[in-house]
Amino acid sequence: MAPQTRSSFPSVVIERETDTEESSSFSEEEEGGGGGKGAGEEDAESESENVKTYEERTKGKAPISIPLKKVCKVCKKPGHEAGFKGATYIDCPMKPCFLCKMPGHTTIMCPHRVATEHGVVPAPHRSAGNPIDFIFNRQLSPRVRPIKPAFVIPNEVKCAVTRYHSRRVTCLEFHPTNNNILLSGDKKGQLGIWDFHKVHERIIYGNVHTCILNNMKFSPTNSGSVYAASSDGTISFTDVETGISSSLVNLNPDGWQGPSSWKMLYGMDVNAEKGLVLVADNFGYLHLVDSRSNNKWEDTILVHKKGSKVVGLHCHPLQPDIMLSCGNDHFARIWDMRKLQDGCSIHDLEHKRVVNSAYFSPLSGSKILTTSQDNRLRVWDSIFGSMGPPNREIVHSHDFNRHLTPFRAEWDPKDPSESLAVIGRYISENYNGTALHPIDFMDISTGQLVAEVMDPNITTISPVNKLHPREDVLASGSSRSLVIWRPKEQSESVKEKEDQKIVLCGKLEKKRHGKKFGNESDDDSDHDGGFGPVSKKGKA
DNA sequence: ATAACATGTGACC
DNA sequence: TGGTCACCCTGTTA
């Protein structure tokens, strides 16, 4: 599994965004404190201390009542506490499990969690589609040696830009031909173009959209230009080189007439064969736009419950007539483009909660992977067989939170077995004193957690992740930062120790204190790569 | 170190 | 359909 490095990467560089950007409406300064978890650290404090503070504050005034008992921040009830204790989060026992959502236990005790060392663990295999599948999986599969090649996991930070965007990152896209160009969209509607080989070469186009850039897709006919769908109700078509942008459609030609009429565009995809741009809005409708004649409307179809947001669209990789949508009505739906009519989907894939994303597998398109807000990934193995309940449900922490871009599990487009997917994790784990939110690599054919990738310098959640279509590179959007990961190069000594298992990136024993993420001055990765967990080990 | 805040949006009636 | 209401591991600034 030793990664064969292709292009020669420069040594690790972490670039802090200087405040030059016109985008930045914020003031200045540093990344907000490593590990600092805003809410609720003081749990550790003793009761007496609490009292004292209170007295001090009230300067001797008779307090009405002094909360001598610990009060839970979550449920407000006395007798227990919840929140961070150091880098470990203590769950409120009055709430259902934050992972699997079942009552009766906390996240720590969740059966989906405790089975392996740490992290998220799959649900047991559930309802196989048909008897043969079931038998195969149950009886034969364990004895059949896997023929699929070992996964290559980009688990080490190669470079990053912090505060690149002025708001949180909402989507990422690799350039279709230029391997080192990463596009990123943010909540403000800005479009970032970053050459991560030359870390300093980056630009933000601030005038493409006026609010959330929800999805991007490169034009199949013009690889220098990208479509973007935004909550401002427009699709933009932008030349990456020049930044010149035109508006393909505007669903709000009359401007703001109140929230009940303002259309926002979410799911988008391009159907090359048909020359169509597909885009969906927050009222349940799919819009077809002829990409050749630009602007010409083909049709508008209700694809999800009226009034509900359609957050994802995906065209089948091999069959131009097949399309997949997903949205807030708890469904993902498969459509035949030739028979697009209101409510005439081929299959409706039911979920318990909102479906953040639904994707065909990238090569054959025979599988579907969805991410739902019920903290489960769902997999349908063969969309050409009977479409019943999912073949697998994998419990995984990716809760919805108003401050976060919704999590989306993304396929590895390079995996010939179409079983590797990446998704950020919401729940943090205490990694030697630092609370980190790993990025998980799941083998969705087994439900196994293959790898959890993290770095002590990246303390924010990474809901947005994309694997490179050709290289062993992972791009992450974490708050306002972008991070590029590549496989850790293992020295021989380290290699034998860490052996077959996927190496965790965040071995913090050797954490390099003071090397704050984003300090350009001292980042200079002396010797063997510097920043990052790695190395050092062998020298002992 | 910690408190306050900005801020959507999904669920439910 | 509309209105109200929670909302637990944010992230950032003061």
Side-chain angles (χ1 to χ4, degrees), chain A residues 335-353:
Chain A
W335 299 85
D336 185 334
M337 299 285 293
R338 294 161 297 192
K339 291 178 254 174
L340 269 182
Q341 284 170 20
D342 292 8
C344 291
S345 50
I346 306 175
H347 292 296
D348 295 336
L349 311 180
E350 192 178 356
H351 295 68
K352 291 214 181 65
R353 285 283 183 269

Side-chain angles (χ1 to χ4, degrees), chain A residues 200-438:
Chain A
H200 295 269
E201 285 197 14
R202 58 187 199 271
I203 187 163
I204 294 265
Y205 295 129
N207 54 356
V208 181
H209 289 287
T210 56
C211 60
I212 316 178
L213 206 167
N214 288 307
N215 272 298
M216 276 187 291
K217 200 85 188 184
F218 270 92
S219 161
T221 52
N222 176 359
S223 70
S225 292
V226 65
Y227 295 102
S230 163
S231 291
D232 65 13
T234 68
I235 303 176
S236 60
F237 188 57
T238 307
D239 184 307
V240 171
E241 290 290 323
T242 63
I244 294 171
S245 187
S246 58
S247 192
L248 198 60
V249 258
N250 181 6
L251 288 191
N252 302 301
D254 302 325
W256 178 258
Q257 305 287 324
S260 58
S261 63
W262 183 262
K263 294 196 176 75
M264 305 192 246
L265 295 179
Y266 285 85
M268 186 190 64
D269 201 357
V270 180
N271 189 322
E273 286 78 5
K274 295 178 185 294
L276 284 176
V277 175
L278 295 81
V279 67
D281 65 24
N282 58 327
F283 291 108
Y285 287 91
L286 166 73
H287 306 269
L288 304 180
V289 186
D290 188 325
S291 62
R292 286 171 286 224
S293 66
N294 275 6
N295 235 351
K296 183 184 168 243
W297 288 93
E298 296 272 317
D299 216 346
T300 295
I301 307 103
L302 184 67
V303 286
H304 282 266
K305 186 180 172 187
K306 194 168 185 179
S308 73
K309 196 160 71 178
V310 183
V311 290
L313 291 179
H314 191 210
C315 296
H316 194 280
L318 299 181
Q319 302 196 25
D321 290 320
I322 303 295
M323 194 261 298
L324 179 62
S325 67
C326 65
N328 281 26
D329 64 352
H330 302 189
F331 280 96
R333 301 183 200 275
I334 304 175
W335 299 85
D336 185 334
M337 299 285 293
R338 294 161 297 192
K339 291 178 254 174
L340 269 182
Q341 284 170 20
D342 292 8
C344 291
S345 50
I346 306 175
H347 292 296
D348 295 336
L349 311 180
E350 192 178 356
H351 295 68
K352 291 214 181 65
R353 285 283 183 269
V354 167
V355 189
N356 288 343
S357 68
Y359 295 116
F360 290 115
S361 55
L363 303 174
S364 71
S366 61
K367 307 179 190 183
I368 287 176
L369 169 64
T370 67
T371 308
S372 173
Q373 288 183 11
D374 65 354
N375 261 358
R376 278 150 179 84
L377 306 174
R378 287 181 176 76
V379 183
W380 283 264
D381 278 335
S382 174
I383 66 162
F384 304 115
S386 62
M387 294 294 289
N391 296 99
R392 261 173 302 290
E393 285 184 11
I394 303 167
V395 175
H396 178 268
S397 169
H398 50 257
D399 284 67
F400 171 79
N401 175 325
R402 69 173 175 280
H403 304 289
L404 300 175
T405 305
F407 290 83
R408 299 196 271 206
E410 302 267 351
W411 296 95
D412 180 358
K414 304 177 296 298
D415 171 25
S417 67
E418 295 187 313
S419 51
L420 188 63
V422 63
I423 181 167
R425 194 194 305 171
Y426 191 102
I427 299 185
S428 68
E429 207 78 40
N430 183 347
Y431 294 97
N432 287 351
T434 311
L436 298 175
H437 308 265

Side-chain angles (χ1 to χ4, degrees), chain A residues 96-146:
Chain A
C97 172
F98 197 55
L99 211 204
C100 73
K101 306 300 179 193
M102 303 302 281
H105 64 271
T106 59
T107 312
I108 289 281
M109 300 305 294
C110 180
H112 298 286
R113 177 185 180 124
V114 293
T116 50
E117 301 130 69
H118 42 330
V120 180
V121 146
H125 183 89
R126 232 194 69 149
S127 69
N130 57 60
I132 295 170
D133 185 31
F134 181 81
I135 289 168
F136 179 81
N137 282 318
R138 259 303 166 76
Q139 318 261 314
L140 275 57
S141 186
R143 285 172 229 159
V144 177
R145 295 209 52 182

